[in-house]
Amino acid sequence: VRLQVAFLQKIIVTISIVWVVSNNPLLAQAVSSEKLTQRNGVAYSKVDNEPYDGDVLNFHSNGQLNFKGGYKNGRKDGIWVGYYYDGQLKYRGRYKDGKRNGRWDTKTKYGQIKKWHSGVFKNDVRVSD
């Protein structure tokens, strides 16, 4: 009987944890950008039509990661990284309130630096190499 009670307690705890994680946007998994819609530079969830907060992942048709990043109040925020179809790095940089801020590295599909798309940015303006 004790084993049955312990087993049932584990099931209840497991179900509770799954429910909390799946219903808490801060703990939820990243979504595909296909679940978002863009209006006036703000990303909205297609589910609840609210500005999106959280991570986003997109994949190329071959399964390779296309890009990953995050949104805060519907605007790109934090580190974003993009890749070409073959998995080579396309870009890496940080957004703040939807604008590029800080160091950005952008490369051609042959691995060469795209000079005018790389460097240090402030409020989406390139300020130095």
Side-chain angles (χ1 to χ4, degrees):
V1 172
R2 283 186 182 170
L3 289 175
Q4 290 175 338
V5 170
F7 179 72
L8 288 174
Q9 286 175 332
K10 286 181 182 179
I11 289 176
I12 290 170
V13 168
T14 302
I15 291 171
S16 299
I17 290 171
V18 169
W19 185 85
V20 167
V21 169
S22 64
N23 287 294
N24 185 332
L26 296 176
L27 299 174
Q29 296 292 325
V31 301
S32 166
S33 66
E34 293 172 3
K35 298 195 183 254
L36 305 176
T37 185
Q38 299 280 334
R39 292 192 308 265
N40 300 320
V42 178
Y44 291 86
S45 167
K46 289 182 179 178
V47 175
D48 61 13
N49 205 30
E50 293 290 324
Y52 181 69
D53 279 320
D55 294 326
V56 63
L57 284 173
N58 262 38
F59 294 89
H60 290 289
S61 61
N62 65 355
Q64 288 281 352
L65 184 60
N66 182 358
F67 64 84
K68 62 182 176 177
Y71 286 91
K72 184 175 179 182
N73 297 321
R75 299 197 184 274
K76 290 180 180 179
D77 200 78
I79 296 173
W80 279 67
V81 183
Y83 300 91
Y84 287 103
Y85 191 79
D86 65 0
Q88 296 289 334
L89 180 68
K90 185 175 187 179
Y91 61 84
R92 177 180 170 76
R94 180 178 298 277
Y95 280 97
K96 183 177 178 185
D97 197 30
K99 297 178 180 179
R100 290 176 290 180
N101 267 295
R103 181 100 184 104
W104 273 81
D105 295 309
T106 307
K107 298 185 177 189
T108 68
K109 61 182 175 179
Y110 304 107
Q112 300 160 321
I113 294 174
K114 287 186 172 182
K115 185 174 180 177
W116 296 108
H117 298 280
S118 295
V120 178
F121 286 78
K122 185 166 184 158
N123 291 324
D124 222 23
V125 176
R126 187 173 176 268
V127 294
S128 69
D129 288 339

